[in-house]
């Protein structure tokens, strides 16, 4: 059995930089393109730095058959800065992090009220705003507590393309249904796991991410929305590599590395649930329609031949452990 | 400033066996005694094994000034077995684990209905039942889901001394108030931390335990009950050493090691909260009254001189990382 996907997109990807990027970037090359997160150290705030980062990504990918949608770290940019960003080739949108909420987000925004004029201009210029939507509250409540911010933004800027990144709760899905100007990405792991998988048996650092996996009803709601072909729900892996030593230590960094196995696992999930016809929209169609994207024309064929997931990916002293390390996925990319 | 405690007791302690026991047992020697958990491999089910384990503990402690209250793993014992247990020197009660719920509990009970006759006889013989009260449900709900089992047992066996071990929720405290025949232990860490400390920032394996730390309102309720001198709430550290390599790995074992710092930290907490007068009851008085204990007469003096918590305790190839490793506690035991 085979599935052919046209120009699959990863709408939320961390490629890091340097040796780590050289290791992980080629592992996303089955995708036609990806939205690249700007949370390097220091974060990518200037168009010049973004262009240079994009060129380093191209070099790391090793081929041109990959469209990178670059983002800039949101810092309440001025009109002049917005205009320059919009005119910079490869620019896609701004990523907003509440200050200090995840890896390298210390420079994020702490008060959105100060950002009003920037958001108004982004609405007028039709620049998307991608948001890491978590409060600083109790870990299981952070996304739910942030929904009121999304609601305010959706009401205040009805034409702003507002993307709730990596949603993890049934409540976020309900909000998505309330406002037509909201869209959302969801990761592979949040379609599959709950907090039980992270901390219900032994503690599993390689399944620890932010936002943390939530309750079974949240996971079930996200999976059903994807399988039902929710028109404003897009795949964004949030694949976030960390060196093994930063995951298996006294203070494990947040992030699940799924890039190399995301397409096979999605094929497995969608076929098992008799929803193959909904996969194209989830993996590309919704994003292209919402964001008016025309990625590289690329066809990826998946077949029901097992993929043995490596225990780790290694290169140049870098070592990253993927989700399903050492396990088998019943589908694979046909190369 | 000094505090003098009389015969402090740890009503829930894991001493393990072999080299690990030789390392950790002396670190509990400021206590006058402790209730010793039976979840070795294999579990301690026979009085003979219990006596032998008790003798190994005495040897590991290195002195006789410590009363060990030994427990047997509950396995729906017969009347004959109960009688023998009750007559065995050092025997305190039975520990019931729902099957497979925590470290080495695979041989636990899966259906309490089968245990009726044993429980009835224990009630008649006045043998305490200590229960690890968690369902097999979602990790944040396991204790709450088990409360109906406690309720059933409390109603059905009104004279059974039923101890809810290491409670972690405000709901468990409410149940405790409903039934006079219930008592409970609470750990050091559950008076202090929430899931935020385990998984809200970086993932912290050394704060990962079962039951997992819950929500802020749960932690606050437990702390207030201890500080207010709840008459049926007793200190039980559940200090549970694991080798460092089993904590800092891809599948971290559950357990927080607090034995060597529990008394100083409790002194710090109770003094900071102006509740010094409630510490004696929490650390010994309630347990002695409820369980009619007469531990070794022992006086422990704590003073407000800082304790530097080691980064690890090591001996004979064993290495255990304590809570507050490398940090300072503002009180210490005066030796």
């Amino acid at each position: 059995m085979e599935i052919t996907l046209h120009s699959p997109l990863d709408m939320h990807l961390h490629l890091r930089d340097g040796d780590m990027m050289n290791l992980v970037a080629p592992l996303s090359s089955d995708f036609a393109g990806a939205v690249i997160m700007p949370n390097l150290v220091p974060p990518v705030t200037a168009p010049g730095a973004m262009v240079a980062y994009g060129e380093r990504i191209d070099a790391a990918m090793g081929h041109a058959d990959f469209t990178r949608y670059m983002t800039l770290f949101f810092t309440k940019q001025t009109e002049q800065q917005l205009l320059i960003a919009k005119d910079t080739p490869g620019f896609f949108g701004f990523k907003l992090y509440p200050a200090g909420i995840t890896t390298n987000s210390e420079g994020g925004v702490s008060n959105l009220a100060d950002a009003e004029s920037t958001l108004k201009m982004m609405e007028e210029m039709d620049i998307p705003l991608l948001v890491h939507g978590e409060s600083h509250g109790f870990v299981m409540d952070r996304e739910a507590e942030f929904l009121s911010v999304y609601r305010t933004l959706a009401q205040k800027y009805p034409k702003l393309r507002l993307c709730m990144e990596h949603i993890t709760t049934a409540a976020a899905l309900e909000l998505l249904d309330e406002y037509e100007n909201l869209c959302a990405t969801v990761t592979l792991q949040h379609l599959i796991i709950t907090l039980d998988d992270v901390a219900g048996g032994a503690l599993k650092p390689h399944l620890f991410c932010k936002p943390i996996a939530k309750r079974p009803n949240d996971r079930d709601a996200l999976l059903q929305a994807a399988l039902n072909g929710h028109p404003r729900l897009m795949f964004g892996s949030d694949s976030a590599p960390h060196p093994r030593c930063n995951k298996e230590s006294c203070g494990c960094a947040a992030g699940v590395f799924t890039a190399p196995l995301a397409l096979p696992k999605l094929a497995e999930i969608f076929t098992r649930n008799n929803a193959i016809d909904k996969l194209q929209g989830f993996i590309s169609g919704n994003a292209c329609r919402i964001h008016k994207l025309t990625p590289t024309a690329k066809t990826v064929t998946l077949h029901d031949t097992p993929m043995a997931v490596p225990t780790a990916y290694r290169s140049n002293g870098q070592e990253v452990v993927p989700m399903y390390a050492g396990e088998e996925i019943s589908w694979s990319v046909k190369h």
Side-chain angles (χ1 to χ4, degrees), chain A residues 49-69:
Chain A
M50 183 189 81
V51 168
Y53 183 36
E55 287 167 359
R56 295 199 298 280
I57 292 172
D58 289 344
M61 294 297 299
H63 63 85
D65 195 19
F66 184 85
T67 309
R68 18 168 205 83
Y69 298 99

Side-chain angles (χ1 to χ4, degrees), chain A residues 152-221:
Chain A
T152 302
L153 293 174
Q155 289 173 345
K156 201 160 185 172
Y157 311 103
K159 292 191 170 155
L160 180 64
R161 264 184 284 152
L162 188 56
C163 192
M164 305 192 286
E165 295 297 315
H166 44 57
I167 60 171
T168 62
T169 58
L173 275 174
E174 284 171 26
L175 190 74
L176 181 64
D177 284 333
E178 271 189 65
Y179 295 94
E180 289 286 328
N181 54 327
L182 285 178
C183 60
T185 61
V186 65
T187 73
L188 177 67
Q189 69 265 21
H190 290 112
L191 299 178
I192 301 171
I193 68 170
T194 71
L195 184 65
D196 271 346
D197 298 282
V198 185
L203 198 66
K204 296 294 177 68
H206 297 290
L207 296 179
F208 172 58
C209 59
K210 294 186 178 182
I212 203 160
K214 300 297 189 310
R215 305 182 66 91
N217 67 304
D218 293 310
R219 186 263 323 272
D220 295 350

Side-chain angles (χ1 to χ4, degrees), chain A residues 71-77 82 91-97 109 112 115 118-120 122-123 126-132 146 149-150 153-154 157 159-165 181-183 291:
Chain A
T71 59
L72 287 168
F73 200 89
F74 183 87
T75 56
K76 298 175 279 186
Q77 275 82 358
L82 292 182
F91 173 72
F92 174 73
F94 286 97
K95 175 71 185 288
L96 188 155
Y97 294 90
V109 168
L112 270 178
T118 303
L119 295 172
K120 189 78 200 154
M122 285 175 61
E123 183 183 33
D126 197 24
I127 298 172
L129 180 69
L130 318 180
V131 182
H132 181 120
F146 196 86
V149 177
Y150 282 132
L153 293 174
Y157 311 103
K159 292 191 170 155
L160 180 64
R161 264 184 284 152
L162 188 56
C163 192
M164 305 192 286
E165 295 297 315
N181 54 327
L182 285 178
C183 60
H291 293 302

